[in-house]
Amino acid sequence: MVTQFGTGLAMPFVPIYITTQLNLGVGSLAGYYAVSAATTLVAALLGGRLTDSVGARTNLLAAAVVLTAANVWLAMLTGIGGLLVNAALTGLGGGLYFSALMPMVLTMVRSDQHRRAFALRYLTMNLGLGAGAVVGTAVLANWDGPLAFRTLFLLKALTFVQFGLVVYGLTGPPPAPREKHERRGGYRTLLASRPVLLILAVQALLVTFCFVQLDTSIPVVVHDFMGLDLGVVGALAVVNTVAVVLLQMPALTLFKRVSDAGTLVYAAATWVIAFSIGAVATTMDGVGAAGLLLAFGVVFAFAETAYATAFHPLLAKVVPPDLIGRVNGLSSVVWNVGTVAGPLLVLGGAATFGALVAWSILIAFGVLAACLTLWLRSMLSTP
């Protein structure tokens, strides 16, 4: 929760810092995100392999060191060269972090508690992000200039210091023993597994066209293409965060007797309902549209809680323990690609054809994701 507080505190303001405080321009900002994304993809695959060989704890300690350095470096930036180095450090640390965090949780918690652990993780993540965003906004509203931004970045670095200290104090299990004649040791074997490929395909659709949309495309669609003011956009973000916090544990109880794959079916179907509400909102003006969008934020939150509870426990059930790091590396790659591709596709549709088409794209791919999750549930339930 503390590291996510640091993320909420600083990350939303990095683009503003680069373009307005460092005066490096939009092109430099694009280069920053491109280098960071490319490095993250490579680091996620490397981190997955290292997690399986040296253990998630060692990987997380390395990630904590790199991310601490990246945020200190960000606070000291003066030019484009340093900016690109920082992007590479950020991508490296992020790739190591996300490829090892889930395996660490999975190996330290009993299998019958996996869903509760991930539900609590998503709950605390949202609490941290929300609190961090409030504090970061308050700091910048009352303290002008580059020093305010740099203070936020240094505070974020401190959250990774505490993360490293906590991980250092943990006594997690050692890496899974490797078989003498290992036949399933590598990414190639994972990609040859139909259940793994189908799970990753489901994740690709749910991430690209569902999960990441609320923080990327939807604010732009609501403001630029539906004509609603920034107050509605801000209220949507607040309502969604509060709904996640309030719904996460009830959702865990609700889906207690539903399989992990079945829970993903409900997540996909709920996202379709949420996007349908958004589509209806395009036919209204003012208060009616705003009210429907706030309802959309609540329904969207319910889908998030279902996904967060079920996805990683499902991965753990279909992959041998000695490959759990690699499969999470692949999952991180899917997540990062979806985060980039999803907004481009949806905003392209909105710019060309309008808001209703943007919502329709999300509905169509949500339906496709629901169909794939039904297929996945059938596959995993067949002896």
Side-chain angles (χ1 to χ4, degrees), residues 47-61 100 103-104 107 173-176:
R49 188 177 184 88
L50 289 174
T51 294
D52 290 334
S53 59
V54 302
R57 180 171 175 269
T58 302
N59 238 19
L60 287 176
L61 285 173
M104 189 72 173
T107 54

Side-chain angles (χ1 to χ4, degrees), residues 141-161:
N142 294 280
W143 187 10
D144 294 328
L147 185 59
F149 288 89
R150 290 168 182 162
T151 300
L152 295 182
F153 301 148
L154 291 175
L155 288 174
K156 187 186 177 192
L158 287 177
T159 69
F160 282 109
V161 172

Side-chain angles (χ1 to χ4, degrees), residues 221-361:
V221 171
V222 169
H223 180 262
D224 293 3
F225 298 101
M226 294 177 64
L228 296 173
D229 61 35
L230 290 176
V232 175
V233 176
L236 173 58
V238 171
V239 166
N240 174 259
T241 302
V242 172
V244 166
V245 172
L246 295 178
L247 291 174
Q248 182 65 78
M249 301 316 292
L252 179 67
T253 302
L254 180 64
F255 293 119
K256 185 176 182 179
R257 299 186 183 280
V258 181
S259 69
D260 294 327
T263 302
L264 290 181
V265 174
Y266 282 105
T270 305
W271 265 311
V272 171
I273 294 171
F275 296 140
S276 299
I277 294 173
V280 174
T282 63
T283 66
M284 298 185 178
D285 297 318
V287 176
L292 280 176
L293 287 170
L294 295 183
F296 155 81
V298 175
V299 178
F300 192 103
F302 186 77
E304 290 179 78
T305 60
Y307 177 92
T309 298
F311 179 75
H312 287 283
L314 178 61
L315 268 187
K317 286 184 173 68
V318 301
V319 174
D322 55 322
L323 293 179
I324 196 67
R326 287 178 177 88
V327 81
N328 276 277
L330 289 173
S331 174
S332 295
V333 169
V334 169
W335 184 277
N336 281 281
V337 171
T339 301
V340 174
L344 291 176
L345 293 170
V346 173
L347 290 177
T352 306
F353 302 105
L356 181 58
V357 168
W359 290 109
S360 299
I361 291 172

Side-chain angles (χ1 to χ4, degrees), residues 60-297:
L60 287 176
L61 285 173
V65 171
V66 173
L67 289 170
T68 299
N71 283 282
V72 172
W73 187 288
L74 185 61
M76 299 168 60
L77 279 179
T78 57
I80 182 64
L83 180 69
L84 297 180
V85 172
N86 176 261
L89 283 175
T90 302
L92 174 61
L96 295 175
Y97 177 87
F98 288 108
S99 64
L101 182 63
M102 305 308 179
M104 189 72 173
V105 175
L106 290 167
T107 54
M108 294 192 69
V109 179
R110 296 195 323 265
S111 59
D112 63 331
Q113 291 293 314
H114 280 171
R115 295 179 75 166
R116 178 169 292 274
F118 281 98
L120 287 170
R121 175 190 173 270
Y122 196 63
L123 173 64
T124 55
M125 184 184 83
N126 277 273
L127 286 171
L129 283 171
V134 170
V135 173
T137 302
V139 168
L140 294 180
N142 294 280
W143 187 10
D144 294 328
L147 185 59
F149 288 89
R150 290 168 182 162
T151 300
L152 295 182
F153 301 148
L154 291 175
L155 288 174
K156 187 186 177 192
L158 287 177
T159 69
F160 282 109
V161 172
Q162 68 81 34
F163 178 77
L165 292 174
V166 169
V167 172
Y168 181 78
L170 295 176
T171 54
R178 301 172 70 84
E179 296 180 1
K180 185 176 181 180
H181 300 290
E182 189 177 337
R183 293 181 297 163
R184 49 177 204 262
Y187 286 110
R188 183 182 303 175
T189 304
L190 286 173
L191 294 174
S193 166
R194 286 184 64 196
V196 170
L197 282 179
L198 189 52
I199 290 172
L200 292 177
V202 165
Q203 184 197 22
L205 287 174
L206 291 180
V207 168
T208 304
F209 296 100
C210 300
F211 209 111
V212 305
Q213 293 294 328
L214 186 67
D215 296 322
T216 55
S217 304
I218 288 172
V220 180
V221 171
V222 169
H223 180 262
D224 293 3
F225 298 101
M226 294 177 64
L228 296 173
D229 61 35
L230 290 176
V232 175
V233 176
L236 173 58
V238 171
V239 166
N240 174 259
T241 302
V242 172
V244 166
V245 172
L246 295 178
L247 291 174
Q248 182 65 78
M249 301 316 292
L252 179 67
T253 302
L254 180 64
F255 293 119
K256 185 176 182 179
R257 299 186 183 280
V258 181
S259 69
D260 294 327
T263 302
L264 290 181
V265 174
Y266 282 105
T270 305
W271 265 311
V272 171
I273 294 171
F275 296 140
S276 299
I277 294 173
V280 174
T282 63
T283 66
M284 298 185 178
D285 297 318
V287 176
L292 280 176
L293 287 170
L294 295 183
F296 155 81

